[in-house]
Structures are given as structure tokens and as C-alpha cells.
Amino acid sequence: MNAKPIKQIFVAVGIATVGVLAGGLSAQAQTASSNPTQDTKVSTSAAALRNDSANSTVAQVDPTYPSTQPTTPTTEPPATTPETTPTQTTPGAIEPGRATRGGSSYVGVGGNIGLGGGDTALGIGNFTVISKIGFTEAVSARPAVVIGDDTTFLIPITYDFTVQPTGVATEAISSFAPYVGGGLAIATGDNSDVGPMLTAGADVPLGDRLTANAGVNVGFFDSTSVGLTIGVGYNFEGL
């Protein structure tokens, strides 16, 4: 029997078997290699869906929630300089020349009308220099000079009042400010004498610059001298 044809059949069957096995392994490799990619895509899509759902929920609860996180500024804001407040006068402080609750300090001129006791210039009609120097909220000095043959110097310390409606701060300047006080009177000339004095009057502001004054001064000399002074002063602040 001739064995050559049988040998060729076995070779052909072997080659066919090897081809079939190789094709099957190749198909399995392609299937295995394709599956991870599909799983990765599904996993990535699922994570994206979860993130989108979370962001949508936060946006519904807080409309101001930004879609992207704000970046932190790399530069600091410029430093601001604190504002300075204007200096205010302390009510109880002693500051010569300050305004009182009765008005501004001032220096001015006026006339003296003698009401009695003609032995000094205070008791007769004369030219007068008047002034007010505020020390505290309510205390002032009001030196004055009644010029005449027997010139008289008046150096009183006064307490300033205010006429204010109920509820208005006492520091507010009144439109009418009476005062009372006492001090020392010095008469010169032939009838020179030194004695105590009393004074009372009122200041009436005429604006930011001027103040009107009217006051009665009584000097207790050997004979009492009384004079009525009317004048206008020019306001100032501080000495």
C-alpha cells in the first residue's frame, strides 16, 4: 500500500487544525482586549454622571454656588489709612480763650452809662473797652476798662448761663446767654481806690464774628459806683 497519500492527508489535517486553533486564540485575545476599554468607558461615564448630579444638587440649594472655584488673589489689598477725627473741646477742660456755652470769647468797645457814684469813671459816662475770656464750659473772665479822668479797671470772674429748651444739650451755644459774677475793681486818679465788685449782664451772638453785650457793674469803693455798659465784641478762639 502506498503511504505517501496518507501522509499528505495527515499533514493537511494538522495544518488545518493549527489554523483553527490560532484563529480561536486571536478572537479570544481581541475580546479580552476590548472588554477593559468598554468597562473603563462605562466607569468613567458613571463617575461623570455622579459628579454632574452632585453639582446640580448644590446649585439648586445655593444659587450663588459657582461652577468653578474662585482663585485666591496673589496680591494683598492696599492698606487703608484710618480717618482722623477733628479735635473737640472737652467741656470741663480749662482752655483760655475757648468758647463757652454762652458764646465765643471776644474783645470789643462800648460806652458806659453812669448810674451813681461819680467819684470814679465807672459812675459817670465814659468810653469802655470790654472783653470775655472763656476758661471752661461755664466760667469766664470779663476784664474791662472804663476810661475817664479816674479810669477804672474791672476784673470779674463770671458764671455763664444758657437759655435752652428742655432736652437741648447744655454745651450748645445759646442765642441769649446771661451771666453773673464778681471780682475786683481798681479806680485810679485822684480818687484811687480798690474794692470788690459785682457784675451781671448778657451776651447776644450777632453771627460768627460779633457778640453784643450789655451789663451792669457795681464797684464798692468809699462811695459805691454803678455803671451800665453796652458794647460789641469781636469773637476769637484761643490765646
Side-chain angles (χ1 to χ4, degrees):
M1 185 178 183
N2 191 1
K4 187 173 182 180
I6 297 174
K7 183 177 180 180
Q8 291 177 348
I9 292 172
F10 278 107
V11 170
V13 171
I15 292 172
T17 301
V18 171
V20 171
L21 292 175
L25 292 176
S26 176
Q28 291 179 358
Q30 291 179 357
T31 303
S33 62
S34 61
N35 288 338
T37 303
Q38 294 176 357
D39 294 341
T40 302
K41 290 182 179 180
V42 171
S43 176
T44 302
S45 299
L49 289 175
R50 285 196 298 271
N51 290 337
D52 291 342
S53 176
N55 292 337
S56 176
T57 302
V58 173
Q60 291 176 1
V61 175
D62 185 4
T64 62
Y65 180 76
S67 58
T68 59
Q69 295 296 329
T71 58
T72 303
T74 57
T75 59
E76 296 182 355
T80 57
T81 304
E83 296 182 359
T84 57
T85 56
T87 304
Q88 296 182 353
T89 302
T90 304
I94 299 177
E95 300 178 10
R98 59 166 284 172
T100 69
R101 62 190 181 187
S104 300
S105 296
Y106 58 81
V107 60
V109 295
N112 179 72
I113 302 172
L115 301 178
D119 293 339
T120 66
L122 180 60
I124 58 178
N126 285 290
F127 177 75
T128 305
V129 177
I130 61 174
S131 67
K132 170 192 171 183
I133 303 172
F135 287 127
T136 68
E137 177 190 359
V139 176
S140 303
R142 296 176 182 270
V145 181
V146 183
I147 301 173
D149 292 338
D150 299 311
T151 299
T152 303
F153 295 89
L154 307 176
I155 311 173
I157 300 296
T158 61
Y159 184 86
D160 300 350
F161 298 92
T162 56
V163 180
Q164 297 285 355
T166 303
V168 177
T170 56
E171 295 83 9
I173 295 177
S174 172
S175 60
F176 174 76
Y179 64 86
V180 296
L184 194 65
I186 303 173
T188 63
D190 296 337
N191 297 310
S192 60
D193 198 356
V194 177
M197 67 160 292
L198 295 176
T199 185
D203 289 328
V204 179
L206 300 179
D208 295 335
R209 296 298 182 182
L210 300 176
T211 299
N213 169 265
V216 176
N217 302 297
V218 181
F220 297 96
F221 304 109
D222 290 339
S223 60
T224 301
S225 297
V226 181
L228 171 63
T229 301
I230 300 175
V232 176
Y234 183 82
N235 300 338
F236 67 88
E237 183 176 355
L239 293 178

